């Protein structure tokens, strides 16, 4: 039952809900500075959505699963995966950071590195372990030429 809940979009939604709650109910008079923060937040959210779309397109093109905790049929090294081994998780972090900026949720800024930590420990490391076991030398070469995040 918990398997469907333990997916990155649920974690992102939970962290975003906390940030929104903090901004709506406990703003403590702090802000990021108005229009520039809205613009920067919009850029981060938009960039995250573009990363997700690019990554999903590669998953579809290579006909392999996008669902965490499942075994991949192929090691994707094309498209956005040439720049980052984890563009969707990177997108989740960018989206949360952008929402925090847009909502002036200053006290929620620590949620960004916490989400990064959760994603890395719950998803990235186990996924990379599975890929390392399945694709061995090919995955090792991929790790040498492509960074985990950016």
């Amino acid at each position: 039952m918990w398997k469907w809940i333990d997916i990155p979009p649920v974690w992102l939604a939970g962290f975003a809900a906390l940030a929104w709650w903090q901004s709506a109910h406990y703003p403590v008079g702090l802000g990021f500075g108005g229009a520039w923060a809205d613009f920067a937040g919009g850029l981060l959210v938009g960039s995250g959505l573009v990363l997700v779309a690019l990554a999903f397109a590669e998953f579809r093109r290579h006909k392999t699963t996008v669902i965490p905790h499942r075994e991949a049929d192929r090691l994707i090294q094309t498209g956005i995966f040439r720049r980052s081994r984890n563009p969707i998780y990177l997108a989740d972090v960018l989206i949360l950071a952008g929402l925090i900026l847009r909502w002036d949720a200053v006290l929620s800024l620590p949620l960004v590195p916490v989400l990064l930590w959760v994603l890395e420990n719950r998803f990235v490391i186990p996924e990379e372990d599975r890929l390392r076991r399945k694709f061995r030398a090919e995955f090792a070469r991929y790790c040498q030429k492509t960074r985990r995040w950016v």
Side-chain angles (χ1 to χ4, degrees), residues 40-41 60-61 63 72-73 94 106 110 113 116 122 138-139:
R60 188 165 187 198
R61 191 165 75 84
K63 297 181 176 121
D73 297 321
L94 291 175
V106 175
L116 180 79
R122 293 284 313 137
E138 185 180 7
F139 185 72

Side-chain angles (χ1 to χ4, degrees), residues 22-44:
Q22 181 268 300
S23 73
H25 300 289
Y26 197 62
V28 295
L30 298 172
F32 289 111
W36 85 266
D38 286 345
F39 178 73
L43 276 178
L44 289 172

Side-chain angles (χ1 to χ4, degrees), residues 81-130:
F81 288 91
R82 279 188 218 149
R83 302 274 181 218
S84 171
R85 296 195 314 254
N86 298 288
I88 297 174
Y89 301 135
L90 176 60
D92 291 341
V93 172
L94 291 175
I95 290 168
L96 179 62
L99 293 173
I100 287 171
L101 282 173
R102 300 262 315 160
W103 294 333
D104 269 342
V106 175
L107 296 180
S108 294
L109 272 177
L111 292 176
V112 175
V114 173
L115 177 62
L116 180 79
W117 182 86
V118 167
L119 293 173
E120 188 158 5
N121 287 284
R122 293 284 313 137
F123 303 101
V124 173
I125 291 172
E127 283 178 16
E128 288 190 350
D129 287 344
R130 283 191 300 279

Side-chain angles (χ1 to χ4, degrees), residues 46-62 76 78-81 83 87-88 91:
S47 297
L49 294 173
V50 167
L51 281 176
V52 169
L54 291 171
F56 272 59
E58 289 301 308
F59 276 104
R60 188 165 187 198
R61 191 165 75 84
H62 289 275
I76 303 173
T78 58
I80 192 63
F81 288 91
R83 302 274 181 218
I88 297 174

